[in-house]
Amino acid sequence: MAERALRGTRLGATSYENDRNTDLAPRQEVTYDCPRGHRFSVTFATEAEIPGNWECRFCGDTALMVDGERPQEKKAKPARTHWDMLLERRSMEDLEEVLAERLELLRSRRREEEEHMQALARQRRSA
């Protein structure tokens, strides 16, 4: 390749190689069906392990392989909620006591704010 062919190009920007006289790896196409009715194919190497499901390239749902075994459902533990974890740490009596304390605190703050607002209103009226 002449030196002038490389002048003005960035290294790594483009490849000057071609794929003549190269053998590609043996391939196979696998078709997947989406629950929303989409059908598409994915190309894999022949020695690759073919997954039973694949993300649909149109909608993102989980598509299943055509004529393939359906993946077995895994037993899932129910998700522990914040309430479940709270009940592990405290009894209902403790929770009711904490609730009563917090409600009383909120009510006292609200009373203080109301008294403060009334005092400000009285000052405005007298001025």
Side-chain angles (χ1 to χ4, degrees), residues 17-66:
E17 293 183 19
N18 56 28
D19 52 356
R20 265 187 271 150
N21 301 326
T22 57
D23 293 328
L24 299 175
R27 301 173 183 195
Q28 62 179 331
E29 271 196 20
V30 180
T31 306
Y32 290 91
D33 278 334
C34 174
R36 294 187 183 179
H38 303 127
R39 180 174 268 220
F40 59 94
S41 296
V42 180
T43 305
F44 292 99
T46 51
E47 60 269 352
E49 185 177 326
I50 308 299
N53 54 13
W54 195 265
E55 183 178 315
C56 177
R57 58 177 63 161
F58 302 106
C59 65
D61 257 356
T62 301
L64 299 174
M65 184 169 45
V66 174

Side-chain angles (χ1 to χ4, degrees), residues 62-87:
T62 301
L64 299 174
M65 184 169 45
V66 174
D67 300 332
E69 291 183 21
R70 301 291 181 231
Q72 297 202 354
E73 299 279 331
K74 295 178 182 174
K75 288 185 179 178
K77 288 180 11 179
R80 278 182 26 188
T81 62
H82 178 73
W83 180 249
D84 294 333
M85 291 185 267
L86 188 63
L87 287 177

